[in-house]
């Protein structure tokens, strides 16, 4: 069974952390992953930096830009992660844009992910229909879960279609804005979380965007299986480097 599916079966709310590979410095990637696991994180999204990150807010964009300046590439990331499964057992997901994957070769990329022990991919700009028609069989061949995003504006029909072709979790974007741009959730977002929960989808939901502390983590996971923190963790890395990760995770999970 894929590590993501195993983790989703656990009787707890899941904390997933996103960070840009190669940030703050090029070779921080592996040590950050190890520290996050050691400090209670359930799942990690490793951002593959891209020069035109449409869905990312300024904090993640800045970290992605710096990582590229540091020398991060697809091949560099794969090299950094080649022995990751000797020490890390939690699910690892690569989140990035389709262009670098296409340049690398979709099948070659998926095979490399399988070889090093990546469990899933989040590719926000890969349309659901295109994935279903052209790439689903390749992802499945290499045991990779593809995670799709929904927003408050996604139609019921679309959500049901995404649910029908998913085999892990659904990334529930808390609002229509870019990442890192809100603080706390209002009634509108809470109603949206409940509305999706009431649909009784086959795949559990994990909320992303706007989660930065224990309060927003608790709000986001009232109706969902887990929550993803990105911008707030990157701000921590910007301030402290790859130290005091325990302080950050403890503040979320207290």
């Amino acid at each position: 069974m894929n590590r993501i599916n195993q983790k989703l079966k656990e009787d707890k709310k899941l904390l997933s952390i996103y960070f840009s590979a190669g940030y703050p410095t090029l070779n921080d990637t592996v040590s950050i992953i190890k520290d996050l696991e050691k400090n209670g994180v359930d799942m990690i999204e490793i951002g593959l930096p891209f020069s035109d990150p449409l869905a990312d807010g300024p904090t993640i964009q800045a970290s992605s830009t710096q990582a590229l300046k540091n020398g991060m590439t697809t091949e560099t990331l794969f090299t950094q992660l080649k022995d990751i499964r000797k020490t890390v057992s939690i699910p690892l997901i690569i989140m990035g844009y389709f262009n670098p994957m296409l340049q690398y070769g979709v099948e070659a990329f998926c095979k490399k992910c399988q070889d090093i022990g990546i469990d899933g991919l989040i590719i926000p700009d890969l349309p659901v229909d295109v994935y279903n028609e052209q790439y689903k069989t390749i992802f499945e061949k290499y045991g990779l879960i593809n995670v799709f995003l929904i927003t408050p504006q996604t139609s019921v029909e679309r959500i049901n279609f995404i649910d029908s072709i998913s085999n892990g979790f659904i990334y529930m974007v808390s609002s229509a804005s870019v990442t890192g741009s809100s603080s706390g959730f209002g009634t509108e977002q809470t109603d949206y979380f409940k509305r999706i929960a009431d649909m009784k989808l086959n795949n559990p939901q994990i909320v992303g965007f706007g989660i930065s502390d224990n309060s927003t983590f608790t709000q986001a996971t009232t109706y969902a299986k887990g929550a993803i923190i990105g911008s707030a963790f990157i701000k921590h890395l910007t301030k402290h480097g790859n130290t005091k990760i325990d302080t950050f995770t403890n503040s979320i999970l207290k």
Side-chain angles (χ1 to χ4, degrees):
M1 184 188 287
N2 186 293
R3 292 179 195 89
I4 294 171
N5 297 123
Q6 288 176 328
K7 182 60 71 173
L8 291 167
K9 287 181 181 297
E10 292 183 12
D11 184 22
K12 62 178 291 196
K13 299 297 186 179
L14 304 181
L15 172 61
S16 182
I17 295 280
Y18 168 96
F19 74 100
S20 300
Y23 182 84
T25 69
L26 181 62
N27 294 313
D28 282 335
T29 311
V30 170
S31 64
I32 290 172
I33 292 170
K34 288 179 180 177
D35 279 354
L36 286 171
E37 179 179 46
K38 187 172 73 178
N39 288 291
V41 171
D42 297 292
M43 199 151 44
I44 298 172
E45 294 173 18
I46 305 160
L48 180 57
F50 182 53
S51 55
D52 190 21
L54 302 173
D56 298 327
T59 301
I60 292 177
Q61 279 194 18
S63 70
S64 186
T65 299
Q66 185 58 53
L68 291 171
K69 287 179 182 172
N70 291 344
M72 181 51 68
T73 64
T74 304
E75 196 57 67
T76 300
L77 178 59
F78 285 148
T79 301
Q80 288 180 349
L81 297 178
K82 65 182 172 59
D83 295 319
I84 196 71
R85 286 304 174 194
K86 290 179 180 176
T87 51
V88 172
S89 60
I90 60 172
L92 299 175
I93 298 170
I94 289 180
M95 183 169 186
Y97 292 84
F98 193 52
N99 193 281
M101 195 176 176
L102 204 55
Q103 288 179 343
Y104 196 89
V106 175
E107 182 146 9
F109 189 97
C110 290
K111 183 179 187 309
K112 197 74 175 176
C113 285
Q114 183 189 52
D115 290 345
I116 61 179
I118 297 298
D119 304 290
L121 298 171
I122 303 174
I123 317 286
D125 61 338
L126 173 57
V128 179
D129 307 287
V130 175
Y131 164 78
N132 192 44
E133 291 161 16
Q134 298 182 33
Y135 301 112
K136 187 171 187 276
T137 53
I138 298 174
F139 278 56
E140 289 175 348
K141 178 181 175 182
Y142 295 102
L144 293 169
I145 285 174
N146 194 27
V147 178
F148 297 103
L149 284 69
I150 63 170
T151 75
Q153 284 70 42
T154 308
S155 69
V156 170
E157 181 186 34
R158 195 70 169 169
I159 292 169
N160 283 323
F161 176 62
I162 286 171
D163 190 44
S164 74
I165 63 166
S166 296
N167 60 341
F169 67 90
I170 292 171
Y171 189 131
M172 190 159 66
V173 177
S174 65
S175 69
S177 61
V178 296
T179 58
S181 59
S182 66
S183 56
F185 297 123
T187 309
E188 190 178 330
Q189 286 162 315
T190 306
D191 289 348
Y192 158 60
F193 298 157
K194 186 176 185 303
R195 173 169 63 85
I196 301 300
D198 288 345
M199 289 179 72
K200 301 283 191 273
L201 300 173
N202 294 318
N203 294 271
Q205 301 87 56
I206 296 183
V207 179
F209 292 42
I211 296 124
S212 60
D213 52 24
N214 176 260
S215 173
T216 43
F217 178 78
T218 303
Q219 277 185 286
T221 56
T222 300
Y223 296 106
K225 177 64 179 173
I228 301 156
I229 297 179
S231 297
F233 181 62
I234 288 171
K235 286 175 183 172
H236 175 88
L237 292 176
T238 303
K239 187 173 181 180
H240 301 287
N242 63 347
T243 65
K244 300 187 179 179
I245 285 175
D246 57 335
T247 308
F248 181 83
T249 56
N250 289 341
S251 72
I252 307 298
L253 297 170
K254 63 185 178 185

